Amino acid sequence: MSVTALPNRKSNRDELDAKHDKYFKWVLTGVVIFVLIALAGAALTMLWGGRFALMSSGVDFFTTTEWNPVSNKYGALVPIFGTIVTAIVAMIIAVPISFGIAFFLTEVAPRWMRTPVGSAIELLAGIPSIIYGMWGLFVFVPIITEYGLPLTDATIGKLPFIGKYLTSVGIGIGLFTAGVVLAIMIIPFITSTMREVFLTVPTRLKESAYALGATKWEVSWDIVLPYTRSAVIGGIFLGLGRALGETMAVAYVVGNSVDWPDSLMAPGTTIAALIANDFGEASDEYRSALLLLGFVLFVVTFVVLALARLMLMRLARKEGN
């Protein structure tokens, strides 16, 4: 073999690798463009389908509460309010519990317990949402009706100012119940994310803190959380996105009432639940209003995730500085 054959063979291999890299880049770019086109197409399709409701109701569609398909009057403020409130209730309950479970599995639990419990929590994320809804309706609602509502009426319900917003109406279904069921649904997602990012914290950092006399709480608050802050916030907002768009589990326990709820315990509805319940039997005008509601849900979810992304970018910039 001549001496010049080796450089020529190496140059041919480099040219082939460069060509493969170019093809791979084109494929990835095409995938990204396809996803963006699909998202934009879905949003514009719902907006185009809801144009009749938007033209007939105008801005009142987003600011009024009357939802009457018989008289073709559509005010989406009640389902929008229900979507936001149930998601907030779910996050208030789910985030502390998820953090506690994740920290327990990574720092407190014995090693023989970590893998089985972690796997069980991850399996909970695969349970269909309709199962959570049925559990909420047939198990949780009777419990909260018999024990929870009388307790809240006798305690929190008597507080000034906020008591009237937490008073029950005699039934267990409502916005608060839907929020609790949502919290149970998203806890496995947030917990799994937190657990995985907590495991990425270098052992040297934690051992150094323990060697200096730090407690487990101080290690979690001063070492683990600052190190994984961006990933933890991302996981929380992913859970929030799941809570905003959940349908069947909420439809079982929210009450499906389009009247303005005077209390957090009162029946209400969400955008996803209202669409799921009424879309199949809707007239052309009503279907247009439901499609416009779907566009509103798309915008709300997109704004929430965009804010999460901006927050993560700001945190990354601060950490870099």
Side-chain angles (χ1 to χ4, degrees):
M1 182 182 296
S2 62
V3 179
T4 59
L6 292 178
N8 291 334
R9 184 174 299 177
K10 182 178 180 181
S11 61
N12 293 335
R13 190 184 304 114
D14 293 341
E15 292 178 0
L16 186 62
D17 292 340
K19 187 179 296 184
H20 290 167
D21 288 341
K22 185 182 296 184
Y23 292 155
F24 185 64
K25 180 180 179 180
W26 288 349
V27 171
L28 293 182
T29 304
V31 171
V32 172
I33 293 175
F34 172 77
V35 172
L36 294 177
I37 292 175
L39 290 175
L44 294 176
T45 299
M46 289 185 290
L47 181 60
W48 178 256
R51 65 189 185 280
F52 299 111
L54 185 60
M55 289 186 294
S56 61
S57 300
V59 183
D60 292 340
F61 182 86
F62 308 100
T63 58
T64 58
T65 60
E66 183 180 3
W67 188 270
N68 191 349
V70 178
S71 58
N72 287 327
K73 292 183 178 180
Y74 304 106
L77 192 58
V78 172
I80 293 174
F81 174 78
T83 301
I84 296 174
V85 167
T86 53
I88 292 175
V89 171
M91 299 306 294
I92 291 175
I93 297 173
V95 171
I97 295 177
S98 299
F99 173 78
I101 295 174
F103 185 74
F104 173 79
L105 292 177
T106 54
E107 299 297 329
V108 180
R111 293 187 179 276
W112 62 267
M113 183 187 296
R114 296 179 182 181
T115 300
V117 176
S119 300
I121 292 175
E122 292 176 356
L123 289 176
L124 290 177
I127 297 178
S129 59
I130 192 171
I131 302 299
Y132 284 102
M134 295 175 64
W135 173 86
L137 181 62
F138 295 112
V139 178
F140 183 69
V141 169
I143 293 176
I144 195 173
T145 301
E146 185 174 357
Y147 302 104
L149 295 183
L151 180 62
T152 56
D153 290 342
T155 55
I156 303 177
K158 294 183 178 180
L159 295 176
F161 303 111
I162 65 172
K164 62 180 180 179
Y165 300 109
L166 299 173
T167 304
S168 68
V169 293
I171 56 178
I173 58 176
L175 297 175
F176 177 77
T177 305
V180 174
V181 173
L182 279 177
I184 297 173
M185 286 188 59
I186 64 177
I187 281 175
F189 292 93
I190 302 177
T191 301
S192 298
T193 304
M194 288 186 177
R195 175 173 173 265
E196 293 300 325
V197 298
F198 287 172
L199 291 174
T200 63
V201 180
T203 306
R204 293 179 180 178
L205 293 178
K206 295 185 289 186
E207 290 179 349
S208 300
Y210 285 129
L212 293 173
T215 62
K216 290 184 180 297
W217 169 253
E218 290 172 339
V219 169
S220 65
W221 190 257
D222 297 328
I223 303 296
V224 176
L225 270 184
Y227 191 87
T228 60
R229 179 171 50 190
S230 298
V232 167
I233 293 176
I236 291 173
F237 274 93
L238 286 177
L240 177 58
R242 173 68 188 272
L244 288 171
E246 181 52 45
T247 304
M248 294 310 300
V250 176
Y252 272 91
V253 296
V254 75
N256 301 308
S257 172
V258 293
D259 296 328
W260 182 262
D262 296 327
S263 171
L264 190 63
M265 307 296 180
T269 190
T270 63
I271 296 176
L274 184 59
I275 294 174
N277 287 326
D278 296 354
F279 194 84
E281 301 177 356
S283 60
D284 293 338
E285 294 82 2
Y286 192 19
R287 186 175 291 112
S288 177
L290 294 176
L291 286 172
L292 187 57
L293 265 182
F295 176 76
V296 172
L297 180 59
F298 182 92
V299 172
V300 170
T301 307
F302 179 81
V303 169
V304 169
L305 297 181
L307 290 176
R309 186 60 183 172
L310 291 175
M311 184 182 299
L312 292 177
M313 292 174 61
R314 177 175 296 183
L315 288 175
R317 193 179 301 115
K318 289 183 178 179
E319 291 173 356
N321 293 334

